[in-house]
Amino acid sequence: MSHWKQRALLGVLLLVLGTIQFRYGIETVRYVSNAVSFPQRLAEPDPETMALGTILDFGQKAGVNKGDILLAVNGTPVHTYFDAMREFSKQRPGAIQTLQLRRAKGEPFAVSFAVPGRKEPDPINRVIAVAINILTPWLCIAVGFLVAFSRPGNPVAYAFLALLICVSHFITADGDLRYGWEPIFTWTFVGIDALSIRWGLPAWVAFAILFPDPRSKHKLLPWLSWVLSVPLALQGVVFAIYVPILLNLGVGVKWLEPIINIPAWIGISTVASAISLGFANLIYKFVRETQPAMRRRLQWLMFGLGAGMLPICLLLLAASLLKRDLDSFSWWILAPAVITPMFIPLTLAYAVLVDRVFDVGVFIRQGLLAAKTVSVVRAAFTIILIWIAFTAYSRGDLPGWQRAAAVFACILAMIVLRQGAGWLRKWVDRRFFQEAVNTENVLVELSAQVRHISNPQLLLGTVTERLSSALHVPRVVALLPDNIVFRSENAVINRVKNERQPLLLQAEDFSSDELAYFSDLGTELLLPFGTTDKLHGILSMGRKRSEEPYSRSDLRLLDSVANQTGLALENSYLTATIAAEAVHRERLHSELEIARQVQQRLFPKRAPAVNGLDLAGRCQPAQTIGGDYYDFLVTPSGDVGLAIGDVAGKGIPAALLMASLQASLRGLTLAGISDLADLMAKLNLLVYDATPTNRFATFFYGLYNPVSRQLSYSSAGHNPALLYRAHSSQVEWLKTAGLGLGLQRNSQYQQSTVQLEVGDMLVLYTDGVSEARSVDDAEFGDDRLIDIVRSSAKSPAEILDNILTEVTLFAAGAPQHDDITVIVAQTVERNSMPIAPLQSCANN
């Protein structure tokens, strides 16, 4: 059966149960708030003979004896148990009731008396009535149907629903309230009650055996579950047929009575065995389960089910052994036993909604809030409201203004129900689909997490798991270079390798043979990840559970995560390679050489082609590898980012922090964060959490808009940028206040903006330039740097060469004590500019 048909049947069942429970809840509220308006029942007749049972005092005074045969009430003949109970319920306190009776085989006679009202229940009985007639049933219905609608066809979900329905009808308070209804309501309620009493245990055993995965091998005595459950389930069906027939027709089905009236020792043994088998299976799975999350869920289930079922089961067992009614027990014994079943839906609701035992978030979005289903649900509630309005309007005992107010309230509720659907849809989108509103937070959290992982397998597992959870994609697979699909000459794979861009698989773009490679993976999106010159792999993203297409914001988030993953994976490969080479060669030179090669690939190979801006940059480390960093980034909005940083220290630790800083910056930039003060604060937080207290970095970041020629910038303790104004030959120093990255966790930063004109020259540098020392221990200084820019104001590449040459001549053979990194940018007339290759550290 299709999921749509299953959900339609579930909807019908929900409508039946919800309508009955809603009406029973109203009756319960009326009773606990004004019990004196309900009549006392004279006695309860035998369903087959209509002989009256124990007679209350007011009946005895009128001359009614136990065993009298009831023939009519107020002139209305009664033939069945339902007839008698319905007529008793119609009376109002203080009214005269006339009964026609027959004693033994004598002649019929009439007895009349005034019907007294019931006594007001004490507070504990009010609480009991509300708990077991309203709170427990509605909690069970809400949680059970929520799971069943979200997982149609899942046997665990159906066992879960059956268990909660049985719990909701397992025991009721003041059952006489239902006999004043129309026959169809009473018949249905009694049938559900009868079925629930017998089906509760099979549902419990089935759920304990099947949860959390029906395919799991961790099942204890599954054959015994069939031996116990099948007889109980069949007896439940027979009981649900037998009881309504007996009460409504007044005749028993003789050939069914042996099934109903089984020996007490058999019933008690079966009940105890079923309860024990269920808990034994949960405990067995808890002991064998190795995943902490699943163990926690099993623990919650065992607590909730144990706390909810054991007290009432023990009380029923005691009542059966002692042959006593539940009402005969003291309130301090009865109250805890009948209220504790609330623990079952409450605990399961917590496990479902908070601990994600079942993934109901997607269902709420694509099922309950889908347009057609919303219309069905709204129509169902509208019918209920119309019925309430009609019932209130037909109540002759109510004043006219109260009836009119009830009808008006129902109409207002229909309007609110219609208007609230849109608001509910938005709330659920925020609550269950955080990627629509928290993509930046997902990115920052993932960035902080992957930088601490040096194991490539663990890194890829973390990324795939987080993406699957954030975007609700059931299947995310990393295709690595050794994968057969990755190595194939498939047109789709080749396109991803060449373009290095996310690719949505659409049937109109590729042939069926080309897409056949991905049928087993269920791929909808291919996402490449790697560094500038190396593709480490491709992420295969399946279809979302919501069946919605990937949006632009999704693709932007995924692209930035892929870049971070590639850089983090490169760093993990760097660490692994250094460790492996150290073991095999035992030489520091080999480690540094490998690190230098990896670090070389992290620097940009070419400047981006920006109309109206000429760029040049170079890094000259003091040792084999260094801690200086520079980068050019193109943001999603088209702006150009100029980044330069200086990590405290040298060698491998500084290089690793530099690589981490680059990965974080690129990820945050690709996420679309344009507020530089905010970007610097997030970058500082990531660096602080990822580095020891003795490591930090100075950093300067500028964001240039090619259209407006405005430069926004922010500094974290770095050297001021030198801005040379071509038209006035004046020099400006660009700086803002801010501590170095990683020094203090919650540092604040500033952002400034400057307008550039054609010909203006911007120089970003590290202190390896200004603090370069000669053999006489003199510093190069800022003045020499200004002179170079003024005297050789040609192209950025030439100025860059002149700066490095002059620093080398000034040192005159003195050892280079710090890394030297320089970026030169010049605004030019907007035309087609050639792309000048950037020299990396390895070329110097």
Side-chain angles (χ1 to χ4, degrees):
M1 185 183 295
S2 66
H3 288 179
W4 184 89
K5 292 181 180 179
Q6 292 182 56
R7 283 174 172 155
L9 293 176
L10 287 171
V12 173
L13 180 60
L14 174 60
L15 181 61
V16 172
L17 292 175
T19 302
I20 291 176
Q21 203 59 58
F22 181 77
R23 185 169 184 179
Y24 197 52
I26 292 177
E27 293 293 330
T28 301
V29 172
R30 290 181 55 223
Y31 171 72
V32 299
S33 60
N34 188 21
V36 295
S37 64
F38 288 79
Q40 288 194 37
R41 173 169 45 82
L42 172 74
E44 188 173 2
D46 181 86
E48 294 187 85
T49 65
M50 294 304 293
L52 296 176
T54 303
I55 309 299
L56 296 184
D57 291 342
F58 68 91
Q60 293 178 1
K61 293 178 180 179
V64 182
N65 295 335
K66 181 178 181 180
D68 289 349
I69 307 300
L70 181 64
L71 302 177
V73 178
N74 288 343
T76 302
V78 293
H79 306 288
T80 67
Y81 180 89
F82 276 174
D83 292 341
M85 299 299 287
R86 188 178 305 113
E87 292 301 322
F88 286 155
S89 300
K90 286 181 180 179
Q91 302 303 309
R92 291 290 175 265
I96 301 299
Q97 187 177 79
T98 301
L99 303 182
Q100 188 173 9
L101 306 169
R102 186 177 69 243
R103 188 165 295 162
K105 296 182 179 180
E107 293 296 324
F109 62 95
V111 174
S112 298
F113 50 84
V115 179
R118 297 192 187 187
K119 296 180 180 180
E120 288 289 355
D122 53 48
I124 189 64
N125 286 329
R126 295 176 194 265
V127 172
I128 291 176
V130 172
I132 64 180
N133 285 6
I134 300 176
L135 298 182
T136 299
W138 276 113
L139 283 171
C140 291
I141 289 173
V143 177
F145 277 96
L146 182 64
V147 171
F149 272 112
S150 68
R151 289 290 178 268
N154 188 324
V156 183
Y158 286 149
F160 183 80
L161 173 62
L163 174 63
L164 289 183
I165 290 177
C166 292
V167 170
S168 69
H169 284 264
F170 194 65
I171 187 171
T172 56
D174 299 295
D176 290 355
L177 301 177
R178 59 194 172 189
Y179 293 115
W181 301 349
E182 296 77 9
I184 187 172
F185 281 96
T186 305
W187 180 293
T188 304
F189 201 118
V190 171
I192 294 174
D193 270 359
L195 188 65
S196 298
I197 293 173
R198 295 300 190 274
W199 272 27
L201 289 174
W204 154 246
V205 174
F207 178 72
I209 292 287
L210 297 175
F211 180 83
D213 186 358
R215 298 167 296 181
S216 173
K217 297 180 180 179
H218 301 325
K219 296 178 181 178
L220 189 62
L221 303 177
W223 60 269
L224 184 58
S225 67
W226 289 99
V227 174
L228 296 173
S229 298
V230 171
L232 286 171
L234 292 177
Q235 189 193 36
V237 175
V238 172
F239 197 64
I241 297 173
Y242 179 86
V243 171
I245 289 177
L246 176 64
L247 298 183
N248 197 63
L249 301 181
V251 294
V253 183
K254 298 298 182 182
W255 60 273
L256 292 179
E257 290 183 357
I259 303 177
I260 299 299
N261 302 318
I262 60 174
W265 68 270
I266 295 179
I268 294 173
S269 301
T270 304
V271 169
S273 299
I275 294 174
S276 302
L277 180 61
F279 278 108
N281 265 278
L282 290 178
I283 295 172
Y284 177 71
K285 292 178 182 181
F286 178 77
V287 173
R288 299 295 298 270
E289 185 60 56
T290 58
Q291 297 183 11
M294 193 57 66
R295 286 174 60 87
R296 186 174 63 253
R297 294 169 185 174
L298 286 167
Q299 188 175 14
W300 271 109
L301 289 175
M302 287 190 293
F303 167 76
L305 293 169
M309 290 183 61
L310 284 179
I312 186 63
C313 288
L314 291 176
L315 182 62
L316 291 174
L317 183 62
S320 177
L321 292 175
L322 299 175
K323 296 181 180 181
R324 294 174 57 183
D325 293 333
L326 291 181
D327 293 338
S328 64
F329 288 93
S330 301
W331 69 266
W332 56 271
I333 296 177
L334 184 63
V338 298
I339 291 177
T340 49
M342 287 183 60
F343 279 105
I344 298 176
L346 284 174
T347 306
L348 295 182
Y350 179 88
V352 166
L353 298 176
V354 178
D355 215 1
R356 299 183 181 180
V357 172
F358 297 96
D359 187 3
V360 299
V362 175
F363 156 71
I364 294 178
R365 169 63 181 235
Q366 74 176 38
L368 182 62
L369 294 183
K372 294 182 179 179
T373 311
V374 167
S375 299
V376 173
V377 174
R378 192 171 63 199
F381 279 101
T382 301
I383 292 173
I384 294 174
L385 290 171
I386 292 174
W387 173 79
I388 294 174
F390 179 77
T391 302
Y393 185 77
S394 304
R395 289 280 300 274
D397 58 323
L398 294 178
W401 69 269
Q402 290 187 6
R403 288 182 287 169
V407 173
F408 177 77
C410 290
I411 295 174
L412 183 62
M414 295 180 203
I415 297 174
V416 173
L417 182 66
R418 179 177 181 179
Q419 297 297 325
W423 174 86
L424 185 60
R425 190 191 312 269
K426 294 178 181 178
W427 180 86
V428 169
D429 192 57
R430 292 195 303 268
R431 174 63 180 84
F432 292 94
F433 288 82
Q434 292 298 315
E435 78 279 2
V437 292
N438 286 335
T439 56
E440 180 181 322
N441 291 339
V442 172
L443 176 61
V444 172
E445 291 175 4
L446 187 58
S447 302
Q449 188 172 3
V450 299
R451 283 211 313 270
H452 296 286
I453 303 175
S454 59
N455 186 311
Q457 296 299 325
L458 181 59
L459 171 65
L460 291 175
T462 300
V463 171
T464 55
E465 181 182 353
R466 288 293 304 277
L467 290 180
S468 176
S469 174
L471 294 175
H472 298 277
V473 178
R475 192 168 189 185
V476 180
V477 179
L479 305 177
L480 301 178
D482 58 350
N483 183 275
I484 186 172
V485 177
F486 186 93
R487 291 187 283 106
S488 66
E489 291 300 322
N490 180 271
V492 180
I493 291 293
N494 290 335
R495 179 172 169 181
V496 175
K497 290 178 179 178
N498 295 331
E499 297 182 359
R500 302 283 188 90
Q501 296 293 328
L503 178 63
L504 287 169
L505 298 189
Q506 299 178 356
E508 58 270 19
D509 295 337
F510 302 97
S511 67
S512 57
D513 292 337
E514 292 170 339
L515 296 177
Y517 278 82
F518 310 98
S519 59
D520 294 338
L521 299 176
T523 306
E524 184 171 325
L525 174 67
L526 291 174
L527 190 69
F529 60 90
T531 56
T532 306
D533 59 350
K534 185 176 181 180
L535 182 65
H536 288 305
I538 300 173
L539 288 176
S540 167
M541 308 283 297
R543 182 179 293 273
K544 293 182 180 181
R545 287 197 182 99
S546 62
E547 298 184 357
E548 294 182 351
Y550 287 92
S551 63
R552 290 184 179 180
S553 61
D554 292 337
L555 295 179
R556 188 181 71 177
L557 167 66
L558 291 171
D559 191 34
S560 61
V561 170
N563 280 279
Q564 291 176 315
T565 302
L567 292 170
L569 195 61
E570 186 75 16
N571 291 338
S572 67
Y573 288 155
L574 166 63
T575 305
T577 303
I578 290 176
E581 289 298 323
V583 172
H584 290 294
R585 301 182 187 183
E586 299 180 356
R587 293 171 57 189
L588 179 61
H589 175 74
S590 297
E591 297 178 4
L592 296 177
E593 178 62 20
I594 294 171
R596 182 191 64 80
Q597 293 175 4
V598 176
Q599 187 182 45
Q600 175 186 354
R601 293 198 294 267
L602 299 181
F603 287 101
K605 295 299 183 295
R606 292 179 179 272
V610 182
N611 193 7
L613 187 67
D614 193 2
L615 294 169
R618 191 179 303 172
C619 171
Q620 183 173 300
Q623 299 179 3
T624 305
I625 56 176
D628 276 10
Y629 159 62
Y630 79 96
D631 209 350
F632 304 114
L633 303 96
V634 178
T635 69
S637 61
D639 294 346
V640 180
L642 309 177
I644 189 167
D646 186 359
V647 178
K650 301 178 181 63
I652 293 177
L656 292 176
L657 179 54
M658 181 275 284
S660 176
L661 175 62
Q662 183 196 48
S664 300
L665 176 64
R666 288 194 174 187
L668 294 173
T669 301
L670 290 172
I673 301 177
S674 58
D675 186 330
L676 296 190
D678 184 38
L679 183 145
M680 295 287 276
K682 287 183 169 60
L683 196 60
N684 172 72
L685 181 62
L686 295 174
V687 172
Y688 182 90
D689 290 343
T691 58
T693 55
N694 62 342
R695 293 288 176 185
F696 68 94
T698 64
F699 185 70
F700 182 97
Y701 186 65
L703 199 61
Y704 176 75
N705 187 312
V707 177
S708 64
R709 287 201 177 101
Q710 283 189 340
L711 176 72
S712 300
Y713 59 93
S714 183
S715 177
H718 196 73
N719 305 73
L722 188 157
L723 176 60
Y724 174 72
R725 297 291 192 178
H727 67 283
S728 62
S729 299
Q730 297 298 314
V731 171
E732 298 178 15
W733 296 99
L734 307 183
K735 59 182 178 180
T736 61
L739 292 176
L741 301 178
L743 285 174
Q744 187 175 349
R745 195 173 196 278
N746 296 317
S747 294
Q748 300 296 319
Y749 298 88
Q750 298 177 354
Q751 173 180 336
S752 295
T753 303
V754 64
Q755 180 68 46
L756 302 184
E757 304 296 337
V758 174
D760 288 351
M761 191 79 67
L762 179 68
V763 180
L764 310 178
Y765 60 97
T766 61
D767 54 14
V769 175
S770 58
E771 296 178 6
R773 296 185 178 276
S774 66
V775 292
D776 298 331
D777 203 31
E779 283 193 354
F780 186 81
D782 294 333
D783 292 337
R784 288 185 174 86
L785 180 61
I786 295 172
D787 293 339
I788 295 172
V789 174
R790 282 176 171 168
S791 62
S792 59
K794 299 179 182 179
S795 70
E798 292 174 341
I799 293 178
L800 177 61
D801 288 336
N802 289 344
I803 292 173
L804 297 179
T805 299
E806 289 297 324
V807 170
T808 302
L809 293 175
F810 176 79
Q816 180 181 335
H817 75 283
D818 202 356
D819 304 330
I820 297 175
T821 304
V822 181
I823 293 176
V824 182
Q826 183 180 29
T827 54
V828 296
E829 293 291 342
R830 294 191 178 97
N831 51 31
S832 178
M833 295 296 300
I835 302 175
L838 295 177
Q839 298 183 19
S840 66
C841 297
N843 297 329
N844 296 281

